[in-house]
């Protein structure tokens, strides 16, 4: 029971940090990061009325349903908390913060995106759960195409950055790539720290 409560706490904190990254850094600075937020930003030149928060929330629910169907009950139970809490945190932070925590420096915002997203993803992954976003596609690729999970994540993030090149510019894509690299590093370090039992 204690471990279950701790895992749920990790998942909630992790998704809250992800929501902070989106609302405070990705959306106001149009950072083409990995994940659903990066895809939403990359698609905005084609769909200028696309609402980032709504896109992420709807996509999260759709991917959760696909994952539940294809990956079974165990996946459903582990990812349910993320699928519910992440959209709620997004709308809550958007309502209370909006652009009030806006940082007018895209490189700094990209690094902050990576730090918050990386720690958040690391906390969720430590529990054996999923954030309910693009990593579901990586899990499906591992199951059906035998592509290792971390390779699948890199491919998806790389595809998002490439989409950003076509929609924006190489400069914008490089800023997005910086956030992806920081996210990857921070998520790995967070998992390692938690495995060692060090409080963070």
């Amino acid at each position: 029971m204690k471990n279950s409560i701790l895992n749920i706490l990790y998942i909630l904190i992790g998704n809250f940090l992800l929501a902070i990254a989106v609302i405070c850094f990705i959306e106001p600075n149009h950072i083409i990061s990995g994940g659903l937020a990066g895809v939403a930003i990359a698609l905005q030149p084609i769909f200028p009325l696309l609402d980032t928060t709504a896109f992420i929330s709807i996509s999260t629910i759709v991917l959760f349903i696909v994952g539940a169907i294809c990956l079974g009950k165990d996946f459903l139970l582990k990812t349910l908390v993320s699928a519910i809490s992440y959209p709620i945190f997004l709308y809550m932070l958007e309502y209370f913060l909006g652009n009030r925590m806006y940082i007018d420096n895209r490189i700094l915002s990209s690094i902050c995106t990576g730090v918050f997203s990386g720690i958040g993803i690391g906390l969720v992954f430590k529990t054996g759960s999923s954030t309910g976003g693009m990593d579901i596609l990586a899990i499906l690729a591992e199951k059906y195409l035998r592509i290792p999970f971390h390779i699948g994540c890199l491919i998806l993030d790389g595809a998002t950055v490439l989409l950003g090149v076509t929609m924006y510019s190489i400069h914008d894509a490089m800023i997005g790539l910086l956030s992806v690299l920081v996210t990857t590093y921070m998520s790995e370090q967070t998992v390692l720290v938690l495995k060692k039992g060090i409080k963070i």
Side-chain angles (χ1 to χ4, degrees):
M1 177 63 72
K2 182 179 179 181
N3 285 337
S4 297
I5 293 174
L6 186 60
N7 283 341
I8 291 174
L9 184 61
Y10 279 151
I11 293 171
L12 290 174
I13 294 174
N15 280 282
F16 185 71
L17 292 176
L18 284 170
I20 289 177
V22 172
I23 299 301
C24 297
F25 305 111
I26 295 175
E27 190 170 11
N29 288 283
H30 292 84
I31 305 296
I32 310 169
S33 64
L36 293 173
V39 173
I41 296 298
L43 291 176
Q44 280 184 347
I46 303 175
F47 306 103
L49 297 179
L50 180 66
D51 182 87
T52 303
T53 301
F55 175 84
I56 295 172
S57 300
I58 294 171
S59 298
T60 297
I61 294 171
V62 170
L63 287 172
F64 172 73
I65 293 172
V66 172
I69 293 172
C70 298
L71 300 172
K73 181 180 178 181
D74 186 53
F75 167 85
L76 187 150
L77 293 175
K78 285 184 176 180
T79 311
L80 183 60
V81 177
S82 288
I84 294 174
S85 64
Y86 186 39
I88 291 175
F89 287 145
L90 284 173
Y91 280 107
M92 183 179 73
L93 288 172
E94 186 175 54
Y95 178 79
F96 286 106
L97 297 181
N99 289 329
R100 283 190 284 275
M101 289 187 68
Y102 176 72
I103 296 177
D104 190 19
N105 185 311
R106 297 189 72 212
I107 294 178
L108 179 58
S109 292
S110 180
I111 294 172
C112 289
T113 293
V115 171
F116 278 86
S117 297
I119 295 174
I121 290 170
L123 288 170
V124 175
F125 282 1
K126 174 60 177 64
T127 68
S129 181
S130 161
T131 59
M134 295 282 278
D135 53 300
I136 292 177
L137 297 178
I139 295 172
L140 291 171
E142 183 174 44
K143 179 177 180 179
Y144 293 105
L145 301 177
R146 300 293 186 266
I147 298 174
F149 176 76
H150 67 284
I151 298 297
C153 288
L154 285 175
I155 292 173
L156 291 168
D157 287 340
T160 303
V161 172
L162 286 176
L163 180 62
V165 172
T166 61
M167 295 295 105
Y168 291 89
S169 67
I170 293 179
H171 179 263
D172 292 313
M174 293 303 291
I175 291 176
L177 181 61
L178 174 62
S179 74
V180 171
L181 294 175
V182 176
T183 297
T184 301
Y185 175 79
M186 291 302 299
S187 63
E188 291 175 350
Q189 292 303 309
T190 300
V191 171
L192 286 175
V193 167
L194 290 173
K195 281 185 177 179
K196 291 178 181 177
I198 302 174
K199 303 295 184 183
I200 60 171

